Amino acid sequence: MPLFLENLFIVTENQKFHDHAGVDLSGISRALLINSQNKTIEQGGSTITQQLARNVYLSHDRTYNRKLSELIYAYQIERKKSKPEIMELYLNAIYFSNGAYGIEAASQYYLK
């Protein structure tokens, strides 16, 4: 995976990617504060590892139970995989619209 591509996703999705063990407590705290003020689940504060956990193992339901499961899975992923492995798995699992799941499918669809 090209380093610029990894850096692009780190900058846009999770600037603290290399500094946490799968969970960004400040991001979750911010999301909880905003959600409690709005009385709805609008933000999740998910790290790249949490997004990977959700995309591979969980649903996209906006519930606190799913979020708790996501935190547990993210912690386990971080214990078993390196940051480069997590990034590769993430880039191969995310949805890029138009039926393209993963970076390879997206590149074939958008760069034809």
Side-chain angles (χ1 to χ4, degrees):
M1 210 61 67
L3 185 58
F4 84 90
L5 185 62
E6 290 182 22
N7 289 335
L8 176 68
F9 279 89
I10 289 171
V11 167
T12 59
E13 294 292 325
N14 182 193
Q15 293 178 7
K16 299 177 183 176
F17 177 67
H18 291 289
D19 302 324
H20 60 66
V23 176
D24 178 8
L25 295 179
S26 64
I28 291 172
S29 298
R30 175 193 40 78
L32 279 172
L33 178 65
I34 290 170
N35 292 343
S36 65
Q37 289 173 343
N38 295 326
K39 295 184 171 72
T40 183
I41 300 175
E42 292 183 9
Q43 295 193 10
S46 293
T47 64
I48 285 173
T49 311
Q50 287 174 261
Q51 292 176 46
L52 173 63
R54 180 184 61 235
N55 288 333
V56 173
Y57 301 112
L58 303 167
S59 71
H60 287 268
D61 296 341
R62 290 181 153 208
T63 66
Y64 288 108
N65 283 337
R66 197 261 314 145
K67 190 65 167 179
L68 179 60
S69 296
E70 181 182 294
L71 294 172
I72 294 167
Y73 275 100
Y75 177 74
Q76 292 298 322
I77 290 169
E78 289 273 346
R79 289 182 65 221
K80 295 178 181 181
K81 302 285 184 191
S82 68
K83 292 291 186 174
E85 290 173 318
I86 291 167
M87 182 58 74
E88 183 176 349
L89 290 167
Y90 170 77
L91 291 173
N92 285 310
I94 60 175
Y95 184 60
F96 287 94
S97 296
N98 297 305
Y101 285 89
I103 194 73
E104 182 178 351
S107 69
Q108 290 176 3
Y109 181 85
Y110 293 108
L111 304 174
K112 12 178 174 172

